[in-house]
Amino acid sequence: MRPSLFSRLALGLFAVFLAVSLFQAALATARSGILLLHARGETPYEERLRAYGPDYVRAIEKIRRAIPRDGAYILISGVPEAEGAPYWVKYDLAPRRALYLGELRSLQPVDRLRKRLPRAARWVVIAYDSYRPPVLIERFKFIQERKRRPT
């Protein structure tokens, strides 16, 4: 029984697909290996510097100095949550405890918001995307700013 033209064509297309996929996988692996060689021995500080830039790293270091390791802070997203900025800021500020309140533009009115803010968290951290460093502000100043400019 001889394979049909359709079967040979399907087998040929699969072979081309496999060859291209293997080439692309090998290329991606080589790129990752080169990056790994360049990044070996980096400290967490140097990793953040390479990934996010000096402004972000300076802001994170400033926040880490202001909030004690066993302290708590209020985390707010200054960009849509799909950006993931709060997750990276929370990771970089660990082991400090974060109380996430959501997006800045959708926060509750000031009177209700004030009741939600824990007294133990003296600081508010607003996380932005990777092109803009996070902002540290005292809870009291944050409330005052929200009173003046609700949005």
Side-chain angles (χ1 to χ4, degrees), residues 72-108:
Y73 63 97
I74 298 156
L75 181 60
I76 297 172
S77 180
V79 294
E81 288 179 359
E83 298 280 333
Y87 300 113
W88 292 112
V89 170
K90 182 179 178 182
Y91 174 81
D92 285 333
L93 294 178
R96 295 152 188 86
R97 295 180 315 279
L99 172 66
Y100 183 65
L101 290 186
E103 290 183 32
L104 185 60
R105 64 186 169 119
S106 64
L107 286 180
Q108 300 170 341

Side-chain angles (χ1 to χ4, degrees), residues 108-117 143 146-147:
Q108 300 170 341
V110 175
D111 295 335
R112 289 176 49 203
L113 178 64
R114 184 182 298 135
K115 292 175 186 172
R116 275 188 71 194
L117 300 179
I143 294 291
R146 292 288 295 177
K147 281 182 183 177

